[in-house]
Amino acid sequence: MSIQRSETIFLNGEWKPWDSATVHVAAHGLHYGSCAFEGIRAYETPHGTSVFRLREHVERLVDSARILRMTPLDYSTDELEQLCIEAVTRNGLDSCYIRPFFYRGAGALGLNPMDSPVEFALFAVEWGRYLGAEAIEQGVDVAISSWRRFSPSTASPLGKIGGQYVTNSFVSIEARENGFAEGIMLDQDGMVCEGAGENIFIVLDGTLITNHLASSILGGITRDSVLQIARDLDVPVSLQPISRDMLYVCDEMFMTGTAAEVSPVRSVDRIAVGAGSRGPITEALQTRFFDTVEGRAEDTHGWLTPVPKPAPAAAT
Ligand code: PMP
């Protein structure tokens, strides 16, 4: 899916046209992946456009920057939130994807990042369904990847850090080359971690199961939202390790992520999950999720930040 250009990008304190928002080729972040980034969705609702869980995304961005030793940052969380909103309004977008990121610019060539400046950029673009429009109802086919998720002793699973995504790209390439929508990474002991850009949920004997934050996963904000929705709907929840073969015998499975939203999984390694179609608990959670983000259900958790409508042009 090629990127949909938008008009203006925020780069180091200035709004610039899309083509002028460029980074120096000597940037540390480009060579060594020193980049803390976020992916945030805004949804069109009957009450106008709203950003989903903006505060939590900005907080995770700051956490990733902290792990990369980039803090203190030049922007407060309030300023970062405002800039995300401004990226939507300035580009006249409704439903869109917002990508703010801190990276190390050009300063020193060595690995030590501390002599390269921390720079900040932000853009917002239109983006459709990540795993395809049918995926939301029909579900997707996934496979266990031959690439393992790194452990917290190798890198920082809880950080959304550019360089770490080389592994995830390998997972994504392998899955698509083999005809699957996504690959699932196991850890070094063979336990389930997550997809290249999604957390994993299964339903086993009526209980919704996902793995614990310390199981080498990114702490997904969609994951957290689904856990809260499950509690609202009185679905029993368990945070526990998930073994590979639990994926083969579970009744339902789905993946969550800002890009993938809530996507049912209909097969793993060509073994049908349950009846091979979206299960009832998945459907109930998914329906409440979309009703909330798209403004049909009451926003009981305060997850939506309204984007102010641009002021009408003054009459001449
Ligand atoms: N795991 C990884 C590795 C991811 O990149 C993402 C996407 N940010 C997720 C899980 C899901 O996280 P979220 O729901 O916050 O988008």
Side-chain angles (χ1 to χ4, degrees):
M1 207 187 318
S2 49
I3 193 164
Q4 298 281 324
R5 298 156 63 96
S6 54
E7 267 175 46
T8 178
I9 292 183
F10 186 79
L11 177 62
N12 290 327
E14 271 180 79
W15 290 95
K16 299 189 164 196
W18 179 274
D19 287 323
S20 326
T22 51
V23 171
H24 198 277
V25 290
H28 190 278
L30 189 61
H31 297 265
Y32 307 122
S34 49
C35 168
F37 71 104
E38 264 309 314
I40 309 170
R41 263 194 202 262
Y43 289 90
E44 199 175 346
T45 80
H47 329 286
T49 299
S50 290
V51 185
F52 182 59
R53 305 204 69 178
L54 179 56
R55 172 53 52 128
E56 290 80 1
H57 278 285
V58 164
E59 284 174 350
R60 190 172 66 186
L61 177 64
V62 174
D63 284 344
S64 300
R66 180 177 301 120
I67 294 167
L68 282 170
R69 309 291 200 278
M70 290 176 170
T71 49
L73 300 165
D74 289 342
Y75 302 85
S76 67
T77 44
D78 283 349
E79 285 167 341
L80 291 169
E81 284 187 32
Q82 279 316 310
L83 285 167
C84 287
I85 291 171
E86 217 179 313
V88 181
T89 45
R90 278 184 182 258
N91 288 295
L93 296 163
D94 302 316
S95 299
C96 62
Y97 182 84
I98 309 167
R99 168 60 59 82
F101 54 107
F102 290 96
Y103 61 94
R104 293 274 180 183
L109 191 54
L111 274 172
N112 180 3
M114 301 319 244
D115 295 327
S116 297
V118 174
E119 307 196 345
F120 175 68
L122 161 72
F123 60 80
V125 290
E126 275 179 34
W127 211 21
R129 298 270 184 248
Y130 183 59
L131 297 173
E134 340 62 74
I136 297 291
E137 272 179 42
Q138 319 255 299
V140 291
D141 302 307
V142 305
I144 302 297
S145 180
S146 66
W147 297 99
R148 296 289 170 109
R149 177 77 169 159
F150 50 81
S151 81
S153 63
T154 302
S156 167
L158 287 180
K160 203 163 162 58
I161 292 173
Q164 299 186 161
Y165 276 78
V166 170
T167 313
N168 303 44
S169 294
F170 289 161
V171 172
S172 182
I173 293 168
E174 181 187 60
R176 278 156 191 83
E177 280 182 352
N178 291 329
F180 296 102
E182 191 54 291
I184 308 287
M185 288 175 280
L186 306 179
D187 68 15
Q188 302 302 322
D189 297 321
M191 301 302 283
V192 171
C193 291
E194 59 184 351
E198 305 86 12
N199 293 115
I200 302 292
F201 284 83
I202 59 171
V203 176
L204 198 57
D205 299 330
T207 298
L208 181 69
I209 300 174
T210 196
N211 38 9
H212 197 270
L213 270 190
S215 50
S216 300
I217 59 168
L218 183 77
I221 291 163
T222 323
R223 167 186 179 276
D224 178 72
S225 309
V226 164
L227 287 171
Q228 293 196 48
I229 291 172
R231 291 185 186 110
D232 294 344
L233 299 181
D234 292 326
V235 174
V237 168
S238 169
L239 295 186
Q240 60 175 86
I242 301 176
S243 62
R244 176 176 186 156
D245 54 358
M246 283 165 83
L247 304 184
Y248 298 150
V249 301
C250 66
D251 306 308
E252 300 182 33
M253 176 173 168
F254 61 91
M255 303 191 295
T256 61
T258 299
E261 299 169 295
V262 180
S263 297
V265 174
R266 64 182 176 195
S267 74
V268 182
D269 293 340
R270 306 200 193 281
I271 299 175
V273 173
S277 57
R278 176 173 64 181
I281 293 180
T282 305
E283 188 173 350
L285 296 168
Q286 201 189 29
T287 302
R288 176 65 71 91
F289 174 82
F290 283 113
D291 283 352
T292 306
V293 298
E294 290 169 0
R296 288 183 297 276
E298 201 193 331
D299 178 21
T300 51
H301 296 283
W303 286 341
L304 302 182
T305 303
V307 174
K309 285 204 173 59
T316 48

